[in-house]
Amino acid sequence: MTAKSVRVMIIAGEASGDLQGAHLANRLKKLLPDIRIIGIGGKHMLNAGVEIMEDSSAWSAIGINEALKIIPKLFYIRSKFKSYINKNPIDLLIPIDFGAFNVRLCKVLSPRPKTLYYFPPGSWKRNADYKSLSGLVDKVVAPFPWTVENLEKQGIEAHFFGHPLLDITKPSLADEEFYDRFGIDYGRELIALLPGSRYHEVSRHLPIMAKTAKLLQNQLHNLQFAAPIASSVSIDMVCGMLKKAFGINNVSLVNEHCVKLAFAGYPPLHIYMLPGLTADVLGRSRAAIVTSGTATLEAAILGCPMIIVYKVNMLAKIEYFVRKKNIKFIGMPNIILDREICPELIQDEMTAKNLVDSILPLICDNKSRQTMVDDLQEVKNCLGAAGAIDKTAALCVDMLMD
């Protein structure tokens, strides 16, 4: 096989998978410049030169209600890709997480292409069952060491090279550019507000976070706030959400990066909207309010103390309480250490008052803050060493040339 003839397919169904797929695609193109990479993903994979056959940007779902909306489309796309792969053989298939789609696709492919599963489904679970992958994959690259142990016990070849976020989670801007470019005050403490990567997450979380920011600013006048929102959520959408929560006369745009909330008798509240700059914001923040997901690991890697939150709609809320007895934690730092190092405020517990009470100790210099900083370093240590993406790419090349 020559490098020029190599065809690889990457399938990522969620925002985090799209990001990981993009970084892996970039490394593969450096190792094999003439490689052709096609697949399912979003803007990150597209920008990395992947030929996107289906855009998965809107697929992300949490809970039964959201999931039901996309099931018919996923059935159609699975059938479409089964037909495409069977007619146009590929040299390596790389599914990334998103087991509800990827595992089922792997089951219907015949003949089955060489397959490397990157981020196997439920890899964060310490007792995950991977029997569904038996006979469907050649190798698995997992983000946690215990995932490899589970896979090997079930007869599946697996590798742990460290968590790829260790390679990715780095500020992209120097201090001077970050503060000057957005008009952020270098001398005031920054608080990060991370409402999530999906529109429905942002619409539920950001108004509560903004109310929290207002209360915090009333108590501590040296604070400022930044929200590294997903690039798929425009600042106009943000204004609409906040106007609905606070009133149309209370919210206005200062510029393309800043929203102002005005309240009688109080100084205005400014929230800087900085899409795509999660690491830049977290790396410079005193503390953060973070929606459960990949961002909690990014905050841990950067050593930013945090409160972890999540709020869903009524149907998903019922589902959550039905399943609660089997859920110990929802935040990755807590899951990794198997103890609550970061407070979790879920559903009705996520109120502005509760958030203020929980985050104030993390803003001040005290034992609570230092304990969390030390615990977050322990979380980072559990993620292994940097270099995972390069090692994964090298393994892919070995499979292609074998």
Side-chain angles (χ1 to χ4, degrees):
M1 181 189 301
T2 64
K4 200 164 189 176
S5 68
V6 171
R7 299 176 74 250
V8 171
M9 178 176 285
I10 299 177
I11 301 181
E14 296 179 300
S16 58
D18 175 45
L19 179 64
Q20 299 296 348
H23 283 278
L24 182 58
N26 276 324
R27 299 301 200 283
L28 286 172
K29 285 179 172 291
K30 287 180 181 178
L31 294 173
L32 300 173
D34 295 315
I35 191 173
R36 183 184 178 195
I37 307 177
I38 58 177
I40 298 173
K43 70 177 184 65
H44 293 295
M45 285 173 52
L46 181 65
N47 291 339
V50 178
E51 298 173 37
I52 299 297
M53 300 172 67
E54 287 288 341
D55 185 349
S56 62
S57 300
W59 290 10
S60 299
I62 292 292
I64 294 171
N65 193 39
E66 281 87 3
L68 288 175
K69 297 175 184 177
I70 63 170
I71 284 175
K73 182 173 184 177
L74 295 185
F75 272 117
Y76 165 74
I77 293 173
R78 186 182 73 189
S79 176
K80 172 183 172 182
F81 270 70
K82 172 189 173 183
S83 177
Y84 176 86
I85 293 171
N86 288 342
K87 292 177 181 177
N88 304 274
I90 57 175
D91 301 299
L92 181 63
L93 175 64
I94 307 175
I96 302 178
D97 203 356
F98 205 57
F101 180 88
N102 279 328
V103 174
R104 287 172 173 80
L105 176 63
C106 290
K107 285 181 178 179
V108 299
L109 296 179
S110 179
R112 178 178 68 80
K114 287 182 183 177
T115 303
L116 181 146
Y117 213 120
Y118 195 31
F119 283 76
S123 57
W124 51 271
K125 298 178 184 176
R126 291 184 178 269
N127 58 349
D129 184 349
Y130 290 108
K131 291 176 184 174
S132 63
L133 295 183
S134 181
L136 298 182
V137 301
D138 297 284
K139 302 178 192 292
V140 176
V141 174
F144 304 110
W146 59 80
T147 317
V148 171
E149 293 175 11
N150 289 335
L151 286 158
E152 290 179 339
K153 285 177 184 176
Q154 295 170 48
I156 299 170
E157 182 181 338
H159 302 264
F160 171 64
F161 299 133
H163 200 293
L165 280 178
L166 293 170
D167 300 327
I168 298 170
T169 307
K170 299 171 184 176
S172 60
L173 303 176
D175 281 350
E176 184 177 356
E177 182 180 2
F178 177 79
Y179 289 102
D180 291 349
R181 178 175 168 187
F182 303 112
I184 300 173
D185 188 344
Y186 190 89
R188 297 166 64 196
E189 296 285 10
L190 189 64
I191 305 298
L193 309 175
L194 279 76
S197 60
R198 307 169 176 94
Y199 178 84
H200 67 266
E201 291 175 333
V202 179
S203 64
R204 292 191 184 104
H205 298 152
L206 187 59
I208 301 173
M209 291 179 177
K211 291 176 183 178
T212 304
K214 175 181 177 292
L215 294 176
L216 284 171
Q217 181 176 264
N218 292 345
Q219 293 189 49
L220 301 173
H221 304 307
N222 68 325
L223 300 181
Q224 54 191 339
F225 303 87
I229 56 174
S231 56
S232 58
V233 180
S234 71
I235 196 165
D236 289 332
M237 291 178 183
V238 168
C239 274
M241 296 171 192
L242 295 179
K243 285 178 180 178
K244 186 176 180 180
F246 291 97
I248 193 167
N249 295 323
N250 298 84
V251 182
S252 60
L253 274 177
V254 177
N255 55 48
E256 61 179 329
H257 298 296
C258 186
V259 175
K260 181 174 80 171
L261 289 83
F263 307 99
Y266 293 95
L269 170 68
H270 295 87
I271 302 178
Y272 299 91
M273 301 293 166
L274 308 178
L277 295 177
T278 298
D280 290 274
V281 172
L282 286 173
R284 295 175 172 91
S285 290
R286 180 70 176 174
I289 302 171
V290 186
T291 296
S292 179
T294 302
T296 62
L297 269 187
E298 294 176 285
I301 289 169
L302 293 164
C304 180
M306 77 191 94
I307 309 299
I308 298 170
V309 300
Y310 210 88
K311 194 177 185 72
V312 292
N313 65 22
M314 184 56 68
L315 186 57
K317 179 178 178 179
I318 294 170
E319 178 193 1
Y320 165 74
F321 282 111
V322 168
R323 296 170 54 194
K324 188 174 181 181
K325 63 181 180 180
N326 297 319
I327 299 174
K328 198 170 181 181
F329 305 113
I330 66 164
M332 284 306 304
N334 297 335
I335 291 169
I336 288 172
L337 296 189
D338 198 27
R339 65 179 192 270
E340 187 176 270
I341 65 169
C342 303
E344 296 184 352
L345 298 179
I346 308 165
Q347 295 300 96
D348 294 340
E349 297 172 348
M350 187 190 173
T351 65
K353 181 183 182 304
N354 287 346
L355 282 167
V356 169
D357 291 343
S358 298
I359 201 170
L360 275 174
L362 304 182
I363 297 173
C364 305
D365 283 313
N366 55 32
K367 185 177 179 181
S368 296
R369 174 183 171 80
Q370 188 57 51
T371 297
M372 188 181 293
V373 170
D374 293 341
D375 287 339
L376 293 177
Q377 181 60 50
E378 187 178 349
V379 171
K380 184 177 180 180
N381 293 342
C382 290
L383 302 180
I389 301 173
D390 285 335
K391 291 174 183 176
T392 302
L395 181 61
C396 292
V397 172
D398 287 343
M399 293 178 68
L400 286 166
M401 300 307 170
D402 188 5

